[in-house]
Every structure is written in structure tokens, then in C-alpha cells.
Amino acid sequence: MTITWLGGLLRRRTGRLLATAVGISLAVALIAALGTFLTTSKATMTARAVRSVAVDWQVQVQPGANPTAVRDAVTRTSGVTATESVSTTQTTGLSATAGGTTQTTGPGLVLGLTPTYRHTFPGEIRQLSGSPTGVLLAQQTAANLHVRPGDRVSIGRAGAAPAVVTVAGVVDLPQADSLFQKVGAPPQSQPSAPPDNVILLPQATFNTVMGNRSSAATPAPTTQIHVARGAPLSNDPAAAYESVTGAAHNLEAHLAGQAVVGNNLGAALQGARSDAIYAQMLFLFLGLPGAILAALLTAALASAGADRRRAEQALLRTRGLAPRKVARLAVVEALLVGTTGGILGLGIGAAAGRLAFGPSPAGSSLSTSLVWAAIAFIAGLAIATLTVLVPALRDLRGRTVADARHAVGRSRTPLWMKGGVDFILIAGALLVFWASSANNYSLVLAPEGVATISVSYWAFLGPALLWLGAAMLLWRIANLALHHGRRPLARFIRPLTGRLAPSGAASMSRQRRPLARATVLLALAISFAASTATFNATYQQQAEADAQLSNGADVTVTEPPGLRVPPAAAAGMQTVAGVRHVEPIQHRFAYVGADLQDLYGVRPASITSATALQNAYFAGGTAKTLMARLKAQPDAILVSDETVKDFQLAPGDLLNLRLQDSRTKKLQTVPFHYAGIVKEFPTAPKDSFFVANADYITKATGSNAVGAFLVDTGGTNQNAVAANLQQQLGAAATITNVTQARSQVGSSLTSVNLAGLTRLELVFAVLLAASAGGIVLAVGLAERRRSLAILSVLGARRRQLRGLALSEGLLITIGGLIGGGLIAWGLSQMLVKVLTGVFDPPPSVIAIPWGYLTVTVLAVVGALGTAAMVSARASTRPAVEELRDL
Amino acid sequence: MTAQLNPDNALMSPDGDLVVCTDASRTFGSGPSAVVAVQGTTAKVSPGARIAIAGPSGSGKSTLLHLMAGLEVPTRGQVTWPSFSTDAADRAQDIGVVFQSPSLVPALDVAENTGLPLILAGVGEQECRDRVAEALELVGVSDLAAKLPEELSGGQAQRVAVARVLALRPRLVLADEPTGQLDHATGQHLIDVLMATTTQIGAALVVTTHDRTVLERLDTHWWMHEGQLRTATTQGASA
């Protein structure tokens, strides 16, 4: 019996079974592919976090302990591959005489490095000019002292005469924050700013110059053991963080108070583990709705054949088949579509994953792939059970044979509609959204030094309830419109159906349940596609903004310290092929009180020709208004939030800065007026800085020297333009481009390449939207072939039959597009707000991917149109043939 | 041997024939499994004719009826409608078909189903309403006007199907075992209605039936056997 039934199903219901299996396969494929994304993104985050660290551990030898013994102990520790000793002491100040004037700095740090240090830790020191060996001066110190390689610098020593050394090179210390960290500081303490003045000496020179304590006033040098680890780490940042932190604690326990471990690797993984949770969030936010949608699509497809199934069940029961046996047939059908959909979905998922993340995605192994395949396959079987088996069993238990013959029925208002569940859900969504705005949408809390991460999963409720509530509201509206709007509906479809319009409208009105369901499904699919695409576009926009912010522009030419390049040099760069605009930016140092900060001099009228300034970078005005203020009022200045608080500034306040006069080489007071807050600015550091009018700075200091040139290439050919500029300008200038910055930006989620996920999501979203419209309409119309055949017998023309099919398609398309557009708009706003933590910097405007949306709409319209036309064509078969086949 | 209806035996009318089957055959499938439902049939239906097609199950009665309705296309020979339009949709306004099983549109109520052919024929709204009411009254289902087909019994649905044909007032009514699902009394009433109405509007009536009492009420009898039209008799005469 079962085999016969199965054979009959396969022969006679091929289309519906296949459509249901395709729906299941989409859900399975999406889950499997997103699983690959999750695994890959976590592995990428771990790898990037590890790569971003120059020195894994800085083991601070405690006073009284033997540095050699500590180093031996560290070297013997499991997982440690290399160690280097670094000596540090303080200087009372550095001074140098250049160009007839003497510059003196405040206190600074002197480091003693072994000859092999730079080979062991290549990422710690970046050579800017001069020789890589010998005495090296940090870039800012060299700028303060106005020295170049070959100049002599005097190192102040407490209780002893200054020691004079010759500078061999100028270097940048990219990891200064961690290099000069206060090892052993409590986890919640504020990070200390790196010192302004740093000189690096070969260990032997250090021992000679700074090693001998001539008096009690001379501070004793301290020793750090810098450690490189090679122990394999888990792909999961949280697991990697736990293992590295555990190992560091183990070493501290082993050293029994002789040293404290500064865990740079742990700190980097600390950031990555919260990003991993955000990746998980993205999986849930972007992946789960897709899987639910695919399940709903499957349910709609399965329910399109429900009337026939009920009739068949009723027939089997009247022929004496026991309900248990009828149930067994339903199990067989569910297993058939579940297994077929599962296998098909795993195939599609594997292909999509390969397409999106490459043939061997980072972090994926056979075991993780198998786990995700199993999860996806089980999800497919669950969907088949819920959409095919459960309704069949419910019908079997709760319906009489006579009930089962009913196909249309008098629609009763569902309980949820009577209870206003849709309104309650939308109100709930807004409430949750409002509540989560109270903590600035902080979904992930990963306290420093604490192994556990708290995730505010309830914030998911906002978008989830909105999606659900809006869908139900759309159902209510569609239902009401179809129920009570028969006359306008008839007028609407008259151009397509002619005289049949009133009958068509009446039929649609009575068939409002499947029509409303198809409309809602399409709206959900479109909203999923549009909100996902909008989120992705906004994410890409912000990732690009982050990269631009870090690099400054498409290409940035940074002039070496001490070299005076005038703004006119931009004209030469302008001739390089691919360059659209060159914008000079001044870079100075300015004292506000005793605090030294970077000062950027910009041309307010033209800066945005080379780089994008987002409103999120500023407070107290938009990017446009603040630049206009700098232009209109040359002594206006933008300062950091921290400076405003530290110096109690109010808009319009006078702010006296001390700047070096290029003519006298002395610091002189220059008055500015506080005009607004700048949080971020192209090429500027993360900490405090100023932005002011370049002309005013030139006038006040007597120098128009440029610190960097921002080069706009129109967003293309950055590598080529950078190479051409390097060729033109020689090795002295440092030229970076935005493509390098993209791969280097922080440890936030922007470090994860979402391009794969984006491609995956967008393709699935279009497929779902097209399927939701096309397949549902086609299956629905196929179930109404009998009605169309009867109409044909009664004298309906092909044009009219085609019109009826097209009317349904048109109605679903219009309802779905409008409903989906509105839901997508609300959902995008909410998603971008709730997932604020994902964006760096936070977006001031949402990016709308018009191109993708157009493709989605075209795909949906195309799918619905094709479905309607194919159905209409099928209805023009000889009517008796059609009636006989059903 | 192929039995042919002698055209001379049919009722003649100055208006000309409504349907003419010339050596018409209809075969389903192909090769060894092919089923010949109707074979080499030549017959015609004249205006006002009252014809019963009888024969055992599977003899090809329904297929012949469908050929005459233009719902089936002959695989050999031809079927023509000299008095009707050559356009199938237009022709449907002149030929009313009652199927063996109820053929109502599930999403339309009884009144809407009955009015469907009138709407397609372009009959005005008011006239449409009147004719629907009249037809439903004739078959005795006026009280079911607002019901959906799924709320009707088989017999009620069949009466609605007949009302739908009568409301159209066609020139030819083809009914495929219209009383098959009805009790004897209701069946008789339906035949009465069909006979009276077709007479009133001057339409020809062709009915396939197993029911001897139905057979006896019609003037001409066509006997089908194994797809062939064997004999045709008119009351008081035989061919």
C-alpha cells in the first residue's frame, strides 16, 4: 500500500512535491552555508587578532628578581617559541641642537634592545628613515627635537651628566600602546597614554649610558621579557582567549611573584571574542529569518495542496483504511520531501559556501562541516514534519470526512485577529526597542579580564516582534481589503479580465486566505531581502568609512618629519594618472596646558573633495556646518570630547594653544575659539587631537608645511596610483592606500570580511523572494485549474483566463512589494540601531542598495509574471482533458 | 461495421443542423494501449431535437457528447456546427453542457455560478439577476442561491448545474447523465424542467442516460456500443 501510494505521489503530484522539497532545500542550504560563515568568521577573527599582536606577552620582571632567571623560566614555558629582554629607564629629558636652535623635551623613556629584537618582533618597530641599527628615535620625538639621522641628541640622566648619542634612524612604534603599557595594572583601570619622548638604544649602549646608577635619585632600569608564542590556538576567539589567559596565569603562578605577565595576545583576543559574539548575532539576525522564511514558504507550498490531501485522506478513510495507516502515508510523504529537500539543500549549501568563502574556508574542518550539515539536515526534516506531517495528522484527528470535502469554507476570523495579536506584537517590538536604546543598544558585554561574555539576546525580540507583528498586520489588511473591497477589486482587475471581473473579484474575495498568505509571504521575503541588503550596504559603507578614516583617503602621502613640503606640491601629484584631487593637510603638535596633542590644519572648503567626512565624526554640528564654521571663522577650532571636559569648554570659548613658530623655533601662544567637537578625523589618532583652519595656522606659525596629502582616486585603482606616486616622490614619502587599510582596520567586526556572507544572503534573499511569489502563485493556481477549466467550458476566452491568473499575480505583487517595502524600512532602521556595535564608526545615514533592490523587484515581478503566464497557458488546455486529469 | 444515423431520420428544420459529426473518431493514448472511445460516427443534431444517447458503460456516450460540445477534438473525421460560430468561446453561448459530476466553481456561490455564462455572454446585470432567479426557481433551488458549492449535496449541485445551462437559454443542451446522482423523483423533475425549458426556448436536447424512464421521454434514441453508434430510432420508427 505504502509503495503504491508513494509511486502515485511521485507520478501525479511531482510538481507540488518538488516545490515543497525546494522550499526545504533553501532552508537547509541557508543554515549550512551560514554555519560555514560562522566557523570561518570566528577563525578569521582569531587569526587577525593574533596577527595584530607584535609581542604576545610582556613579562615584567619585578624589583629584586633576577631577570636572567625569569627569562630562563619563561623560555622553558610550554608554547613559548622566542624571548627577548628589553630594558627600560627614564630620562629627565632629551635635547638637541639643530639649525642653530636647541630643542628640549620633557621627561621620556629610554629603551635598551638586544641586536636580535627587531628580527624576533618585526611588527614592533617600523623604520621611517636612517639606519635600522644603532640609536633610534621615535617619530614624534624626532619631530619635537627637529633632528634627523646623523644628528646628536643629549639624554638627560637624573643625578648625572647628560649622555650624548648620535641618532642612526627615526622609527615609528605602531604598537606603542601595548609596548608602554603599565603591566599588572588592574583590568578596569584607564589605559595610560604612551610617552611623547622615546629613544631606543642598543642593549650595550643602554648598559653603558643608563645602566650605572650614579645616585639614589637615578631610577633603576626595569626589565621586560618579550615573548613570542607558537602554541596552537582554537579557531574560536573565546576559547583561544581562555587558553592564552590561562597560560599567562599559569606562568605568573610558576614565577611566584618574580614577574607579572602583560598579556597582549589575550587583550587582542578579548576584543575578538566579543566580535565573535557579534558574528553569532549576525548569524541569528540575518540567517534565522531566512531559514524561517524558507520554512514558511514550504508550509505555504504544502498547504496549497492541503485541500486535495484532505479529500484524498477522506477517500482513503471511506474506503476503510485505518487512520493509523493514513497517518503512515503522511509520514512517508514528509520523509520523502524532507530527505529530498535535505540532500538538495546540502548540495546547494556546499556550492554556495564554496562560492562565497572559497574551496577551503578558514577554520572549517571535516568535523565542523559535518556538524553543520547534520544541523541543517535535521532542520530540514523538522520543517517537513511541521509543514507536511503535522497538518495531515491534525486533519486526520480533528476533521470529519464531510469536513474534509470543504475547500473554500466560510472564513472565520482567526483568534489572533480577534485578539489584536498583531498590534500587541508591534507595540512589544517598539517597547523592546525603546528599552534597548536605554543602554545604547549594547548587545554584547565582554568585561576586560573576565572570561564570560554577557549577551543581551532579548534585544533580538525587537526586530523579531516587528517582523512578526507587521506580517500579521499585513495579513489583516489584505484580508480586510479582499473581504470588503470586492467592488474596487473588480474595477481594478477589469482591464485584465473584462466581463469576468465581478466573478474574479468574488472568487478572490472568497479565496482571500491563500491570497493573503501568498502576499504576506512575499512581503516577508522582500523585507528580508531589502533589510538584509540595507544592513549589508550600511555595513560596507561604514567599513569603507573606517578604512578611509584610518588611511585618510583613497591614497595618502605622508611626508617624513622635518621635511617642509608646501601645499603647492599637490600640483605635481595631480598629474599622476588616476588622481582626481589632492588635498594637503597640515600636521603640527600643539600644547593645551601641559598636554601635547596633534593639530590638523585643513582647507574647509575643499577637504571633502578628497575624503568623506561623516556626521558621526562630529558633535555640535554636522560635518558640513562645522567645516563652514572653520571657513567663516578662521580661528575656530574643533577639539576632542575629552578636551572639552578636561578644560570645561563652552562653544565660543577662547582656547590658547602653544605652537612652534617656524621662524623663531620657539613655542608661541596662538588664540583659537572652540567651535565644535571632533571625535574622528581622517589620518588622526584615536585619542585627543585638534582640527583647525590651515590658513590660520600658516599665518600664526609662519609655515605652510604639509604633513600629508589626501589623494582621491574616485575609489578605484588605489594600488596603481599609490605605486605611481611612490615612483614620482621617491622613498622619503610614506604612501599608503585604502586597500591596505581595509585589511588592517582594528579588531572590531569590520575585520571580518562580510563579503561572503553578503553574497550568500543576497542570493538567498532573491531566491526566497522569487520563490515566495512565483512558486506559491503557481502552485495555488495549479490547484485552481479545475475552476479555470469550468470557466473555459462556459465560454471564457483565453485572454480572460490569462487575465484571472495575472490578476492574482498582480495583486500579490503589489501587496507584497508595498507591504514588504514598509516592513523592510522599519526593520532596517531597527536592525541598524540594534546592531550599532557592529558598525565602526556608527552610521549617520543608512545606505540603501538601490541596484540590489531593483534586481530583487525585477526577480519577483519576473517570477510572478512567469508563474501567472505558465498557469494561464496550462488553463488553455482542452477543458475536458483538464477536468479529467484532476 | 460502422452504424450511421440516417440524416433523413433526424428531425429536420429549415434553420439547418446544429451539430454534424462526420466519420468522427476519438482515440485516447497511442500504440497497443490506445483506447478507441468513439469510432467513425456520422450523426447530426437538428434544432428542437430530443435525443437520448444510451449504451453500456464505456460505450463512448460521454465522449460523443463532448465531441458534439466541442470539448474534445476528434482524432479522425470531423465535427462541425453549421448554425453556430466557429469561435469556441462564442459557440459556448449557444451550447449548454451539463456534466456527469457537478462542475461548479468552488469559490462562487450558487447565484454567481448560475450567472457565469450570462456574464460571459455579456448579458446586462439586471437581466442576469432575473434569469438566474428564474432558472434557480425552475430547478427548485432558489433557497440555495447564497450557498457555496461545498455546502450543497451532490443532487443539489447537479440541479444548479442544470440551472446554469437553462439560464443561458442556449440553442443546444448537452446533458451527460444529468440524473445519475439524483433520486428517481428529483431526476424526473429535472428531466421535466429540461424538456419544458428547452421546448420553451426552442433548444435541442441531447442526453446520455442509463435510465429507461428518461430514455422513454425523449423522441430519438441513439444506441452506442464499443464506441460505435449502432442504431438510431425515432419514436415509432427505427433505423
Side-chain angles (χ1 to χ4, degrees), chain A residues 210-540:
Chain A
M210 308 300 292
N212 298 323
R213 292 180 70 195
S214 49
S215 76
T218 313
T222 57
T223 305
Q224 280 189 358
I225 313 299
H226 286 194
V227 177
R229 279 171 51 86
L233 288 173
S234 163
N235 283 324
D236 181 3
Y241 170 79
E242 272 181 44
S243 101
V244 167
T245 309
H249 290 157
N250 182 278
L251 176 61
E252 280 182 338
H254 182 67
L255 292 171
Q258 293 181 77
V260 178
V261 178
N263 190 352
N264 297 338
L265 187 54
L269 288 168
Q270 147 90 17
R273 71 188 176 132
S274 58
D275 296 336
I277 295 292
Y278 269 119
Q280 216 156 303
M281 293 268 190
L282 285 181
F283 171 78
L284 289 174
F285 265 108
L286 305 179
L288 212 56
I292 292 172
L293 198 57
L296 288 175
L297 173 68
T298 311
L301 293 170
S303 72
D307 296 333
R308 186 186 307 283
R309 187 196 61 231
R310 283 180 204 129
E312 285 166 354
Q313 276 186 354
L315 188 67
L316 288 170
R317 283 164 65 193
T318 52
R319 299 284 181 204
L321 199 69
R324 193 168 43 82
K325 288 187 176 171
V326 179
R328 196 186 299 159
L329 298 179
V331 171
V332 168
E333 186 178 342
L335 267 178
L336 179 71
V337 292
T339 311
T340 311
I343 293 169
L344 197 63
L346 289 181
I348 297 171
R354 197 183 165 88
L355 206 69
F357 307 112
S360 50
S364 73
S365 62
L366 185 64
S367 60
T368 54
S369 301
L370 282 177
V371 166
W372 277 109
I375 291 172
F377 193 81
I378 290 168
L381 287 180
I383 292 170
T385 305
L386 286 172
T387 56
V388 178
L389 182 58
V390 171
L393 294 181
R394 196 182 51 215
D395 288 348
L396 201 58
R397 290 198 184 123
R399 285 173 153 250
T400 62
V401 171
D403 275 348
R405 287 177 51 237
H406 290 185
V408 179
R410 302 279 174 193
S411 297
R412 279 169 300 180
T413 309
L415 276 179
W416 67 262
M417 231 184 249
K418 283 182 188 163
V421 174
D422 43 350
F423 297 116
I424 294 170
L425 290 177
I426 291 174
L430 295 175
L431 200 69
V432 171
F433 183 58
W434 172 78
S436 53
S437 72
N439 67 345
N440 285 326
Y441 314 103
S442 299
L443 294 189
V444 178
L445 285 176
E448 215 173 305
V450 180
T452 54
I453 298 177
S454 66
V455 181
S456 169
Y457 282 105
W458 78 286
F460 281 86
L461 266 179
L465 292 181
L466 179 72
W467 203 48
L468 210 61
M472 289 170 108
L473 180 64
L474 180 64
W475 190 305
R476 180 192 287 276
I477 293 169
N479 196 59
L480 274 174
L482 286 168
H483 191 193
H484 299 291
R486 214 183 272 191
R487 278 182 182 280
L489 186 60
R491 273 199 297 276
F492 176 70
I493 64 171
R494 192 173 291 279
L496 289 170
T497 57
R499 290 170 188 160
L500 264 183
S503 306
S507 170
M508 282 189 208
S509 179
R510 292 217 180 79
Q511 305 264 19
R512 59 183 174 276
R513 223 166 17 185
L515 280 178
R517 184 174 52 214
T519 305
V520 168
L521 200 60
L522 178 62
L524 284 180
I526 287 171
S527 68
F528 169 67
S531 58
T532 303
T534 304
F535 175 84
N536 283 328
T538 309
Y539 179 87
Q540 296 299 341

Side-chain angles (χ1 to χ4, degrees), chain A residues 405-410 486 499-500 503 506-507 510-511 786-787 790-791 793-797 800 878-881 883-884, chain B residues 28 66 71-72 87 89-90 92-93 99 102-109 112 116 119-122 146-148 150-151 164:
Chain A
R405 287 177 51 237
H406 290 185
V408 179
R410 302 279 174 193
R486 214 183 272 191
R499 290 170 188 160
L500 264 183
S503 306
S507 170
R510 292 217 180 79
Q511 305 264 19
R786 186 183 179 86
S787 298
I790 293 167
L791 283 169
V793 170
L794 296 178
R797 295 183 177 280
Q800 289 171 313
V880 168
E881 222 173 277
L883 290 168
R884 197 169 38 228
Chain B
F28 295 107
H66 293 160
L71 301 175
E72 296 274 12
D87 178 82
D90 286 342
Q93 313 308 327
F99 287 94
S103 53
L104 303 179
V105 178
L108 298 179
D109 65 22
E112 288 162 346
L116 256 182
I119 290 171
L120 287 167
K147 295 273 186 193
L148 287 172
E150 66 186 23
E151 295 166 328
R164 185 172 64 191

Side-chain angles (χ1 to χ4, degrees), chain B residues 114-161:
Chain B
T114 312
L116 256 182
L118 303 180
I119 290 171
L120 287 167
V123 175
E125 207 173 317
Q126 186 55 49
E127 190 187 344
C128 182
R129 261 202 298 272
D130 295 344
R131 282 165 67 171
V132 165
E134 189 188 344
L136 292 178
E137 181 69 41
L138 271 173
V139 297
V141 291
S142 296
D143 54 332
L144 302 177
K147 295 273 186 193
L148 287 172
E150 66 186 23
E151 295 166 328
L152 305 178
S153 69
Q156 286 169 332
Q158 191 66 321
R159 279 193 276 168
V160 175

